[in-house]
Amino acid sequence: SAAVDALTSLRKGDAAWTKELETLAGGPEVEVRNAALMQLGKLGDKKHVPILAAALASDDWSTRYAALDGLVALRAPESAGALVE
């Protein structure tokens, strides 16, 4: 997860990296998936609300927590429904 955080800092604004984060957010490795979800929230783009909201239904509690953290960091009105649900 530290590598995902560092790469996001280095490549902020890079569309290819953002696409990679979106892919990683649905990946099988819990730590990487969770780091990607949190970073998507920190990017502040409301287009990531559906990805984060979908992760709230994960079987893994830490992924649900990462998605929640990402939605809170995003601070988008569009995320309110997913947070309440």
Side-chain angles (χ1 to χ4, degrees):
S1 67
V4 172
D5 295 346
L7 283 167
T8 303
S9 293
L10 293 171
R11 297 182 66 182
K12 192 169 186 175
D14 181 349
W17 177 244
T18 301
K19 216 31 152 174
E20 182 67 21
L21 282 174
E22 293 169 358
T23 301
L24 292 172
E29 292 186 43
V30 175
E31 294 84 8
V32 174
R33 178 177 62 232
N34 294 349
L37 288 166
M38 288 190 277
Q39 290 303 318
L40 286 174
K42 289 178 184 177
L43 289 177
D45 191 336
K46 63 184 174 184
K47 76 175 185 175
H48 295 125
V49 169
I51 295 169
L52 294 163
L56 290 174
S58 173
D59 290 337
D60 184 78
W61 72 268
S62 65
T63 298
R64 292 190 305 270
Y65 184 80
L68 177 64
D69 192 45
L71 285 168
V72 170
L74 186 60
R75 301 183 59 88
E78 294 81 2
S79 64
L83 291 169
V84 170
E85 192 175 309

